[in-house]
Amino acid sequence: MWRRSLIPASACFKSKGFGVFRAVRSCSTPPLPVGRITVLQAVATWREHFIRRGVTEPEHSSQYIISHLLGAKTIESLGKERLTQFLDKGKTQQIWQLCTKRLSRMPVQYVIEEWDFRDLTLKMRAPVFIPRPETEELVDLVLRDLQGSRMAGVDAAAQLTCLEVGCGSGAVSLSLLKSLPQLKAFAVDQSQDAVKLTEENAVRLNLLDRFVVYHMDVLTDSEMLLSLCSPVSILVSNPPYLFSEDMESLEPEIIRFEDHAALDGGKDGLRVIKQILTVAPKILSDRGRVYLEVDPRHPPLIQQWVEAHVEDLHYVETRHDITGRARYCILQKQKSNEELKRDLD
């Protein structure tokens, strides 16, 4: 849900009254019901209004918001009996308040102020970037390689260190830390809002003892990054990788509420990625790896650029996401030709 789709904003449609509700003007917020309504009626009302307003994911939007207010993750988990119960006035007002926020195209994650990422529930706040399903796959990829001892020269039982560039809500680092008790992690982000939210999530998950977060921009603070965070076994990043020309096509949920600096990767989408790859050999331990989530157009461009500009970084492979798109790049630090020659001498 709510991926980085390039779907244009939908038009606004006219609407009529529904059930026990008074007539609603086109594109207006539906008034509170005259009488009491059930949970199912509230879900149906807002689903219909979201559809008429052109809000994406109308069914899920209505269900997520209302189930959250009722203390559940999903509508189904409430049970049939609860769904047919009448809502009290206070709960009805809360539903109307939060669903009205969604009418402004505010993402559900910001409306309910939390979201699940793999096995974690994270706090969410605008404008901090919302983690997508593709990034869950990025974490799975790193974990499979580590737990399967696929990283040559890295002992999976030893102390591992990880640097995440562009942590957002902390989803990637915190998920890795929870899965790998031997891992110590650093994370950086150019957004102070992101750093603060990541720290809050780390505290809530009791992971701050193995985790340090810095307010830092990899484009301008590379020397500080090297002094504070090196060496590390893994460098992982879901960097801003959208082509600048694609930014105008984003849905209102993204363009109005999320941090553009976490999305826009420049003309070719590689501005931040190139800097990460330039810094990587200096910050990685020998045979350390880089894991990147990128645009499907990027892998061949990244491989060519690294081969031409970064001598001691080897492009290992491209991995695909669940939909079959080339989405992840894996690179590994290797000794430069000069170092290899010195070793032989």
Side-chain angles (χ1 to χ4, degrees):
M1 295 177 61
W2 296 289
R3 295 170 184 259
R4 290 186 184 126
S5 55
L6 304 180
I7 302 172
S10 299
C12 193
F13 299 96
K14 294 182 178 180
S15 58
K16 300 178 181 178
F18 177 79
V20 296
F21 300 90
R22 295 186 291 268
V24 180
R25 291 182 304 163
S26 174
C27 292
S28 65
T29 300
L32 283 166
V34 176
R36 297 179 69 191
I37 61 169
T38 66
V39 176
L40 282 177
Q41 286 176 320
V43 170
T45 297
W46 279 102
R47 179 186 64 237
E48 179 181 324
H49 205 72
F50 289 150
I51 291 171
R52 290 171 173 171
R53 286 287 299 269
V55 173
T56 57
E57 303 276 3
E59 181 86 25
H60 286 110
S61 295
S62 178
Q63 290 186 3
Y64 269 117
I65 292 169
I66 293 172
S67 60
H68 171 76
L69 280 172
L70 297 177
K73 291 288 186 182
T74 65
I75 283 293
E76 291 78 13
S77 64
L78 287 170
K80 292 183 179 179
E81 183 177 346
R82 183 83 183 276
L83 292 175
T84 56
Q85 289 178 350
F86 286 100
L87 293 162
D88 61 41
K89 183 178 179 180
K91 194 62 69 176
T92 302
Q93 289 176 334
Q94 287 182 304
I95 290 172
W96 254 245
Q97 289 170 356
L98 292 194
C99 286
T100 298
K101 290 184 178 181
R102 182 72 184 112
L103 281 182
S104 72
R105 303 303 288 269
M106 178 181 283
V108 166
Q109 293 90 334
Y110 295 152
V111 172
I112 67 175
E113 298 185 351
E114 69 175 34
W115 200 242
D116 289 346
F117 182 87
R118 300 184 78 247
D119 54 349
L120 305 179
T121 298
L122 301 170
K123 294 295 291 181
M124 288 287 152
R125 273 198 307 272
V128 180
F129 182 73
I130 299 167
R132 269 56 170 186
E134 293 92 340
T135 308
E136 295 189 10
E137 294 183 57
L138 175 66
V139 173
D140 292 337
L141 173 60
V142 175
L143 289 174
R144 281 198 303 270
D145 280 5
L146 286 174
Q147 295 168 341
S149 300
R150 295 184 63 173
M151 284 179 61
V154 175
D155 182 357
Q159 171 72 62
L160 295 170
T161 50
C162 172
L163 168 65
E164 181 185 7
V165 177
C167 57
S169 63
V172 171
S173 290
L174 296 174
S175 192
L176 290 172
L177 284 166
K178 184 171 183 183
S179 298
L180 297 170
Q182 72 273 30
L183 180 69
K184 179 180 179 181
F186 303 96
V188 300
D189 202 291
Q190 53 79 32
S191 165
Q192 183 66 64
D193 291 324
V195 170
K196 184 178 179 182
L197 185 58
T198 291
E199 289 178 336
E200 288 180 25
N201 281 322
V203 169
R204 291 176 70 247
L205 296 167
N206 297 313
L207 292 171
L208 203 56
D209 59 328
R210 293 184 285 129
F211 189 38
V212 182
V213 190
Y214 295 109
H215 180 212
M216 199 181 303
D217 189 339
V218 69
L219 291 172
T220 57
D221 303 320
S222 58
E223 291 303 318
M224 188 184 301
L225 183 69
L226 293 172
S227 66
L228 292 174
C229 303
S230 62
V232 295
S233 317
I234 305 158
L235 192 164
V236 62
S237 184
N238 172 22
Y241 60 67
L242 290 184
F243 291 58
S244 292
E245 66 180 11
D246 293 335
M247 291 292 293
E248 296 180 1
S249 306
L250 296 176
E251 291 182 348
E253 283 84 352
I254 301 173
I255 204 69
R256 293 179 190 171
F257 293 96
E258 293 192 73
D259 184 4
H260 290 194
L263 292 158
D264 190 347
K267 184 177 180 180
D268 58 1
L270 293 173
R271 182 180 65 242
V272 178
I273 291 172
K274 288 178 179 178
Q275 178 66 8
I276 290 172
L277 296 175
T278 299
V279 171
K282 303 172 186 177
I283 204 166
L284 287 172
S285 55
D286 188 34
R287 294 186 180 276
R289 282 193 168 186
V290 178
Y291 293 83
L292 296 174
E293 178 183 329
V294 300
D295 185 279
R297 294 167 284 184
H298 280 149
L301 301 178
I302 290 173
Q303 183 171 2
Q304 292 168 13
W305 188 84
V306 167
E307 290 173 352
H309 296 92
V310 189
E311 183 180 5
D312 43 359
L313 197 61
H314 170 64
Y315 193 95
V316 177
E317 63 178 310
T318 301
R319 300 272 186 93
H320 295 72
D321 64 21
I322 196 170
T323 66
R325 294 174 295 179
R327 178 65 72 176
Y328 313 103
C329 296
I330 304 175
L331 303 97
Q332 183 166 302
K333 180 179 179 179
Q334 62 182 15
K335 291 184 177 181
S336 66
N337 292 334
E338 289 185 6
E339 289 176 310
L340 290 171
K341 185 178 180 181
R342 284 198 300 269
D343 290 345
L344 289 174
D345 293 341

